[in-house]
Amino acid sequence: MNLSTLKPAKGSVKERKRVGRGQGSGMGGTSTRGHKGAGSRSGYSQKLHFEGGQMPLQRRVPKYGFNNPTRVEYKPINLDIIQTLVEKTNATVVDVALLQKNGLAGKNDLIKVLNRGTLTAAVEVQANAFSASAKEAIEKAGGKTTVLQRSAKAETPNQ
């Protein structure tokens, strides 16, 4: 075996389509563009969501309400989840990294602690926001709350 005898696998190499070369090319006189219409002409570029003149889907579907582009979305974490996490890990500080490590939050999530369930462990909780009742319940259990600043990346609205 030498390099001059090597060939690609059968069917792996196709001949390229030679458009605009007449009848002998097998593409016919219209070069696979069909007869008449915008798509047959040079310079035609189809607009995004164009449906051949039919009313496009984004105009047919009814719309209502208002979507605030600067809305800040928080991942809610309740006190009962924090309690089970503390019992499982024996942590004294519950922060974003611990929540991410245990699959309770994503790396870009902003965390808000809410007051569902009860917290008996005295832990320091670090999050981006707290409900007033959750903050009160954590401090009542002997814990401490720390509000983290949002990063500049998290503050930019989703486009």
Side-chain angles (χ1 to χ4, degrees), residues 75 77 96 99-111:
K75 173 83 177 179
I77 301 290
V96 178
L99 294 170
Q100 288 172 358
K101 185 179 169 192
N102 286 281
L104 295 169
K107 70 175 190 168
N108 294 324
D109 285 343
L110 297 175
I111 308 297

Side-chain angles (χ1 to χ4, degrees), residues 6-153:
L6 292 177
K7 288 183 180 177
K10 186 173 177 140
S12 68
V13 177
K14 296 178 184 174
E15 283 192 27
R16 74 182 188 90
K17 184 194 280 191
R18 296 189 71 220
V19 177
R21 295 294 184 273
Q23 295 295 341
S25 67
M27 307 295 165
T30 58
S31 301
T32 72
R33 287 170 166 261
H35 296 280
K36 298 185 181 176
S40 70
R41 317 229 191 277
S42 68
Y44 171 69
S45 62
Q46 189 173 13
K47 301 288 183 278
L48 201 63
H49 308 300
F50 182 68
E51 296 185 21
Q54 174 177 294
M55 187 61 70
L57 182 68
Q58 77 272 20
R59 291 187 61 197
R60 275 180 282 163
V61 175
K63 293 157 196 67
Y64 57 91
F66 171 73
N67 290 327
N68 185 356
T70 57
R71 177 181 164 87
V72 178
E73 285 280 341
Y74 288 99
K75 173 83 177 179
I77 301 290
N78 289 294
L79 292 180
D80 56 354
I81 293 172
I82 292 174
Q83 180 63 38
T84 54
L85 184 65
V86 168
E87 289 170 1
K88 189 173 95 173
T89 61
N90 294 324
T92 56
V93 177
V94 176
D95 58 352
V96 178
L98 183 68
L99 294 170
Q100 288 172 358
K101 185 179 169 192
N102 286 281
L104 295 169
K107 70 175 190 168
N108 294 324
D109 285 343
L110 297 175
I111 308 297
K112 182 167 184 174
V113 179
L114 302 177
N115 186 25
R116 185 190 73 195
T118 56
L119 182 69
T120 55
V123 290
E124 181 183 345
V125 182
Q126 298 175 0
N128 300 102
F130 293 88
S131 69
S133 57
K135 188 171 186 173
E136 184 182 314
I138 292 168
E139 289 168 355
K140 191 175 179 184
K144 185 179 155 194
T145 58
T146 308
V147 177
L148 302 173
Q149 294 300 314
R150 291 187 299 217
S151 65
K153 182 181 176 187

